[in-house]
């Protein structure tokens, strides 16, 4: 499979897998809601900041870590609408950055015709979880489409792996941790806690 060829060159200890179309929709919804609530323009989400927040929520700490971030997107969608940088092929795929959490390498994998997005995310997750080098896996999935399959998969995963699933609402549990996706997106969108604290 083409997406597996993209991933198998080397395995990072930390893997982030994101349904990019779902992530972009959630960022849009939050932007619209908070612009109305805060009565100000919300900028595009800072992609690197969002990745840092997901990594921290998934258990990555300061140090010389390596994290591979995999965005799975529909073939007709060539860019994020609500993140910067945004273009999958030109600005994201094959790029990398380094900060206090270590090095992050980015991949963007389009869904080929005839392959459902949830199936590709599930297959990628299954492949990643089989790798002994991988210690932490963080997944952003559409809870309305992908959750049941992922939960079944994770029942069989090695307990030594730390798996964290991110969604917008608490979901029935399993052999994984859960975090609310909205918190990382609020940080990436520049929404400050004190702004919310001052609201009636």
């Amino acid at each position: 499979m083409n997406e597996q060829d993209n991933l198998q060159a080397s395995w990072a200890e930390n893997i982030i897998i994101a349904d990019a179309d779902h992530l972009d929709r959630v960022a849009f919804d939050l932007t619209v809601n908070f612009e109305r609530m805060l009565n100000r323009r919300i900028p595009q989400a800072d992609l690197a900041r969002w990745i840092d927040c997901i990594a921290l929520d998934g258990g990555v700490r300061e140090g010389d870590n390596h994290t591979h971030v995999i965005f799975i997107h529909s073939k007709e969608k060539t860019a994020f609408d609500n993140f910067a940088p945004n273009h999958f092929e030109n600005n994201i795929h094959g790029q990398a950055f380094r900060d206090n959490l270590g090095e992050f390498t980015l991949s963007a994998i389009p869904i080929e015709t005839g392959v459902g997005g949830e199936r590709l995310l599930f297959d990628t997750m299954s492949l990643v979880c089989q790798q002994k080098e991988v210690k932490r896996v963080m997944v952003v999935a559409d809870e309305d489409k992908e959750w049941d399959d992922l939960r079944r998969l994770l029942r069989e995963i090695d307990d030594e792996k730390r798996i964290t699933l991110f969604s917008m609402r608490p979901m029935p549990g399993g052999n994984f941790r859960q975090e609310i996706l909205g918190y990382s997106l609020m940080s990436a969108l520049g929404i400050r806690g004190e702004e919310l604290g001052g609201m009636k």
Side-chain angles (χ1 to χ4, degrees), residues 44-177:
Q44 286 188 314
D46 182 325
L47 186 62
R49 182 171 180 80
W50 176 78
I51 290 170
D52 272 352
C53 291
I54 292 292
L56 286 166
D57 285 345
V60 179
R61 296 297 177 257
E62 288 192 18
D64 190 23
N65 304 294
H66 181 205
T67 302
H68 188 177
V69 186
I70 304 162
F71 293 106
I72 295 172
H73 62 93
S74 54
K75 194 167 187 178
E76 62 272 15
K77 188 175 178 68
T78 59
F80 282 119
D81 295 322
N82 301 283
F83 286 84
N86 66 340
H87 197 280
F88 294 122
E89 188 63 31
N90 296 340
N91 306 126
I92 295 174
H93 186 70
Q95 301 300 310
F97 68 91
R98 176 176 285 276
D99 60 21
N100 63 322
L101 297 179
E103 183 176 23
F104 294 84
T105 57
L106 312 182
S107 297
I109 302 174
I111 300 164
E112 298 297 330
T113 303
V115 180
E118 56 268 33
R119 188 76 245 170
L120 180 53
L121 187 142
F122 177 88
D123 290 344
T124 303
M125 179 73 174
S126 179
L127 176 68
V128 163
C129 286
Q130 292 171 30
Q131 312 309 313
K132 65 181 186 302
E133 301 95 333
V134 175
K135 303 302 182 189
R136 298 177 192 85
V137 183
M138 294 137 274
V139 183
V140 177
D142 186 337
E143 53 262 39
D144 294 326
K145 295 180 181 178
E146 300 156 348
W147 201 268
D148 288 340
D149 284 341
L150 287 175
R151 188 168 50 219
R152 282 194 292 272
L153 169 67
L154 293 175
R155 288 195 188 113
E156 305 170 6
I157 297 304
D158 183 350
D159 287 339
E160 293 183 2
K161 293 191 190 301
R162 175 174 171 145
I163 312 290
T164 308
L165 267 57
F166 294 81
S167 65
M168 287 301 290
R169 62 182 186 271
M171 301 296 288
N175 188 24
F176 52 85
R177 293 169 169 82

